[in-house]
Amino acid sequence: MTNLTFYGGVNEIGGNKILLEDKDTRIFLDFGKSFSRRAKFFEEYISPRTSNGIVDFITMGLVPDIPRLYRDDLMKLAGRKVEKPDIDAVLLSHAHSDHADYISFLHEDIPIYMGKACHLILRALEERCSRTIEREILDYKIRPYNVKEKPIERRIETFTTGDKFKIGSLEVEPIHVDHSVPGAYGFIIYTSEGPVVYTGDIRLHGTKSQMTLDFIEKAKEARPIALIVEGTRIGEKEREESEKQVYKESSKIVSDTDRLVLVDFNFKDVDRLRTFYNIAKETNRKFVVKLNDAYFLKYLSQDRHLDVPNIDDEDIIIYLPKRGSGTYSDSDYKGNDGQFLDLHNTWTAEQITN
């Protein structure tokens, strides 16, 4: 018998944690952070206690209290029995926190399946987090502060559209969809009772709407016995919205001024990244990025399909903020950040304003 159990994502934004069971096979579809549940207890400057491991998360219902699911070190810290997992895999649809963040809590022997571009994003986050130790980000080698064991190593399996793979009694077909982050996929999962379709997050107003239409057609052909679909906005009237419109309006604003222009957007949104990078080039400006965001350029530029510029692009400047010494001393930029100090494309605030 095929069963679906929803531990998050129902009547809320994000927090997708969907358990699919078929015969002896058990997999999770995503394992993300719930924004609404977290907001009941925490805010920007009040977070779960890192020294308490996973205990606060379980106690407050931020993650389900399921045995044989979480990491050995977290169970030891919580005073619970350490057991081998009985979950066969996690299918990660994309790298947004409401679908991915709490995978870091899962047992180290549970393999994670994700798209290749999604893996590049997580590698960028991992490298960025290794200096700030932001625990709740999907950093699959990080551990609680007071656990001195070796870093967590996970089995990561990557795929692209056209691949099919088996997990126990299930056959999984990932199909690309368009979303505000690259490497987003929906899944057709062939169970013993028939196909189950999971959309993940999808959209039609982006630059690659055809990918979403590809998924829709494949899903229709499969004639699923169940459809799990994300729904974040449904209106009576379709609102005009597209990346072309963002580009057109933003280009006019930038062209009409000779002053510094500040733009805020999620740097994992490569469509928006390309929009403002191209506007900067066309208006004879430099595209200045924060040091944190330089890691995304470093990794996402490795995927030629994304058309993302690398950090050594002559039109890209990395903003170098002052740190502990109050100057721009090399001692303030140890570890991963130090890789950017020797590049010609780092500017201070004074250089940017001049």
Side-chain angles (χ1 to χ4, degrees), residues 250-262 276-288 313-317 347:
S250 300
S251 181
K252 183 178 186 310
I253 292 170
V254 176
S255 299
D256 287 347
T257 182
D258 58 0
R259 305 187 70 179
L260 180 69
V261 177
L262 301 179
F276 287 111
Y277 169 75
N278 289 331
I279 290 174
K281 288 186 67 172
E282 292 163 7
T283 56
N284 296 315
R285 294 172 179 268
K286 294 295 185 183
F287 185 59
V288 181
D313 187 291
E314 62 180 7
D315 292 303
I316 292 179
I317 302 296
W347 282 5

Side-chain angles (χ1 to χ4, degrees), residues 147-243:
V147 177
K148 304 300 182 183
E149 299 176 3
K150 63 181 181 180
I152 300 299
E153 297 285 349
R154 294 193 185 277
R155 175 182 152 201
I156 305 297
E157 300 285 349
T158 61
F159 51 74
T160 60
T161 294
D163 294 340
K164 283 187 178 181
F165 51 90
K166 290 207 165 190
I167 304 172
S169 64
L170 305 172
E171 183 177 45
V172 180
E173 182 178 7
I175 302 170
H176 53 214
V177 295
D178 190 35
H179 191 35
S180 59
V181 64
Y185 283 83
F187 299 100
I188 302 175
I189 305 160
Y190 298 92
T191 76
S192 58
E193 294 193 22
V196 172
V197 169
Y198 176 51
T199 66
D201 283 353
I202 58 176
R203 67 177 186 178
L204 285 170
H205 63 269
T207 61
K208 299 186 184 300
S209 58
Q210 184 57 48
M211 294 200 306
T212 298
L213 295 174
D214 291 343
F215 171 78
I216 292 171
E217 285 304 310
K218 285 280 189 180
K220 284 169 60 179
E221 290 173 9
R223 301 182 67 82
I225 59 170
L227 171 64
I228 309 168
V229 59
E230 189 88 5
T232 55
R233 186 182 69 224
I234 300 175
E236 294 180 1
K237 246 178 167 181
E238 185 177 350
R239 187 172 69 181
E240 185 182 356
E241 186 177 304
S242 70
E243 196 61 32

Side-chain angles (χ1 to χ4, degrees), residues 5 36 76 104 107 119 121 158 196 200 209 224 234 240 254 273 291-292 300 308 312 319 326 332 334 345-346:
T5 307
S36 57
K76 289 177 184 176
S104 60
H107 196 281
H119 190 213
I121 293 173
T158 61
V196 172
S209 58
I234 300 175
E240 185 182 356
V254 176
L273 164 62
L291 191 57
N292 279 354
L300 291 178
V308 171
D312 59 359
Y319 166 53
D332 291 334
K334 295 179 180 178
N345 56 346
T346 55

